[in-house]
Coordinates of all heavy atoms in Angstrom, one line a residue:
H28 N -16.3 -7.5 -16.3 CA -17.3 -8.2 -15.6 C -18.6 -7.4 -15.6 O -19.7 -8.0 -15.7 CB -16.9 -8.5 -14.2 CG -16.0 -9.7 -14.1 ND1 -14.7 -9.6 -14.2 CD2 -16.3 -11.0 -13.9 CE1 -14.1 -10.8 -14.1 NE2 -15.1 -11.7 -13.9
L29 N -18.5 -6.1 -15.5 CA -19.8 -5.3 -15.5 C -20.4 -5.4 -16.9 O -21.6 -5.5 -17.0 CB -19.4 -3.8 -15.2 CG -19.1 -3.6 -13.7 CD1 -18.6 -2.1 -13.6 CD2 -20.2 -3.9 -12.8
L30 N -19.6 -5.3 -18.0 CA -20.2 -5.5 -19.3 C -20.8 -6.8 -19.5 O -21.9 -6.9 -20.1 CB -19.1 -5.2 -20.4 CG -18.6 -3.8 -20.5 CD1 -17.4 -3.7 -21.4 CD2 -19.7 -2.9 -20.9
L31 N -20.2 -7.8 -19.0 CA -20.7 -9.2 -19.1 C -22.1 -9.3 -18.4 O -23.0 -9.8 -18.8 CB -19.7 -10.2 -18.6 CG -20.1 -11.7 -18.7 CD1 -20.3 -12.1 -20.2 CD2 -19.1 -12.6 -18.0
W32 N -22.1 -8.7 -17.2 CA -23.4 -8.6 -16.4 C -24.4 -7.9 -17.2 O -25.6 -8.4 -17.3 CB -23.1 -7.9 -15.1 CG -24.3 -7.5 -14.3 CD1 -25.2 -8.3 -13.7 CD2 -24.8 -6.1 -14.2 NE1 -26.2 -7.5 -13.1 CE2 -26.0 -6.2 -13.4 CE3 -24.3 -4.9 -14.6 CZ2 -26.7 -5.1 -13.1 CZ3 -25.0 -3.8 -14.3 CH2 -26.2 -3.9 -13.5
W33 N -24.1 -6.8 -17.8 CA -25.0 -6.0 -18.5 C -25.6 -6.7 -19.7 O -26.7 -6.7 -20.0 CB -24.4 -4.7 -18.9 CG -25.4 -3.7 -19.6 CD1 -26.4 -3.1 -19.0 CD2 -25.4 -3.3 -20.9 NE1 -27.1 -2.3 -19.9 CE2 -26.4 -2.4 -21.1 CE3 -24.5 -3.6 -22.0 CZ2 -26.7 -1.8 -22.3 CZ3 -24.8 -3.0 -23.2 CH2 -25.9 -2.1 -23.4
L34 N -24.7 -7.4 -20.4 CA -25.1 -8.2 -21.6 C -25.9 -9.4 -21.3 O -26.8 -9.8 -22.0 CB -23.9 -8.6 -22.4 CG -23.1 -7.4 -23.1 CD1 -21.8 -7.9 -23.7 CD2 -24.0 -6.7 -24.1
T35 N -25.6 -10.1 -20.2 CA -26.3 -11.3 -19.9 C -27.6 -11.1 -19.0 O -28.6 -11.8 -19.3 CB -25.4 -12.3 -19.1 OG1 -24.9 -11.7 -17.9 CG2 -24.3 -12.8 -20.0
A36 N -27.5 -10.2 -18.1 CA -28.7 -10.0 -17.2 C -29.7 -9.0 -17.8 O -30.8 -8.9 -17.4 CB -28.2 -9.5 -15.8
A37 N -29.2 -8.2 -18.7 CA -30.0 -7.1 -19.4 C -30.8 -6.3 -18.3 O -32.0 -6.2 -18.4 CB -31.0 -7.8 -20.4
P38 N -30.0 -5.6 -17.4 CA -30.7 -4.8 -16.4 C -31.3 -3.6 -17.1 O -31.0 -3.2 -18.2 CB -29.6 -4.4 -15.4 CG -28.4 -4.4 -16.3 CD -28.6 -5.5 -17.3
A39 N -32.2 -2.9 -16.4 CA -32.7 -1.6 -16.9 C -31.6 -0.7 -17.0 O -30.5 -0.8 -16.4 CB -33.7 -1.1 -15.9
L40 N -31.8 0.4 -17.8 CA -30.7 1.3 -18.1 C -30.2 2.1 -16.9 O -29.0 2.3 -16.7 CB -31.2 2.3 -19.2 CG -30.2 3.2 -19.7 CD1 -29.0 2.5 -20.4 CD2 -30.8 4.2 -20.7
P42 N -30.0 1.2 -13.5 CA -29.0 0.6 -12.7 C -27.6 0.4 -13.4 O -26.6 0.5 -12.8 CB -29.6 -0.8 -12.4 CG -31.1 -0.6 -12.6 CD -31.2 0.4 -13.6
A43 N -27.7 0.1 -14.7 CA -26.5 -0.1 -15.5 C -25.7 1.2 -15.5 O -24.5 1.2 -15.4 CB -26.8 -0.6 -16.9

Side-chain angles (χ1 to χ4, degrees):
H28 279 88
L29 290 174
L30 288 173
L31 185 63
W32 164 73
W33 185 68
L34 292 172
T35 58
L40 187 59

